[in-house]
Amino acid sequence: MSNFVNIGSKPAEGASAAPPQPAVPQAPSTGLLVTERAVKKIRSAMAKEGISPEEGGLRLGVMGGGCSGLSYSIKFDTQPRERDRIFEFDGVRVFVDPKSFLYLHGMTLDYEETLMRQGFNFINPNSTRSCGCGSSFS
């Protein structure tokens, strides 16, 4: 289930429309997927933050709160924790704690950059409902 909403409109004269975004691949049901676009953004942000890809990575998690009951958490971490699941995508590591993995398995993390919106998208088949901003779900 995708959290994208497309509204068709014709660009104003002289304006250019954003290039069409390719379809987002689906994650395996027993793991998670980070798209190429998201990997590129994570890699550049890690470099800006001075986090070594060999030791650190992106931490994805879930915490209580938000308008739909649970909120996604995304931040950098300098190293994995003892019980983390570690996924690697083209040299970028992603850390997920065991409790969060219950909600995130099968999820795809994508990155979208359009004229209207810029940021990470959590495409989560485990989500039954999400809020308008896409950072909260149940």
Side-chain angles (χ1 to χ4, degrees):
M1 182 168 120
S2 177
N3 291 332
F4 294 109
V5 176
N6 292 324
I7 300 173
S9 66
K10 194 173 174 185
E13 193 173 319
S16 62
Q21 304 260 340
V24 176
Q26 276 195 302
S29 62
T30 58
L32 57 95
L33 175 71
V34 178
T35 66
E36 238 181 273
R37 289 188 301 244
V39 167
K40 285 180 186 176
K41 190 63 179 180
I42 294 165
R43 187 179 290 118
S44 73
M46 284 177 68
K48 284 180 187 174
E49 295 289 320
I51 296 173
S52 159
E54 292 79 29
E55 294 176 19
L58 184 75
R59 177 166 299 284
L60 295 178
V62 172
M63 56 189 180
C67 46
S68 293
L70 296 170
S71 292
Y72 294 111
S73 168
I74 184 169
K75 62 184 178 179
F76 293 115
D77 209 338
T78 55
Q79 62 186 20
R81 295 179 191 149
E82 185 178 333
R83 297 186 63 221
D84 280 345
R85 290 187 183 236
I86 302 171
F87 301 91
E88 187 169 324
F89 303 94
D90 196 20
V92 169
R93 296 191 311 165
V94 177
F95 310 140
V96 182
D97 67 88
K99 287 183 182 177
S100 293
F101 188 72
L102 294 172
Y103 298 100
L104 299 180
H105 70 88
M107 184 203 79
T108 299
L109 181 67
D110 190 28
Y111 186 79
E112 178 184 38
E113 194 165 357
T114 66
L115 293 173
M116 294 289 290
R117 185 178 186 284
Q118 176 181 335
F120 288 101
N121 288 322
F122 293 83
I123 303 160
N124 190 345
N126 304 305
S127 170
T128 57
R129 188 179 75 205
S130 66
C131 64
C133 68
S135 64
S136 177
F137 71 102
S138 64

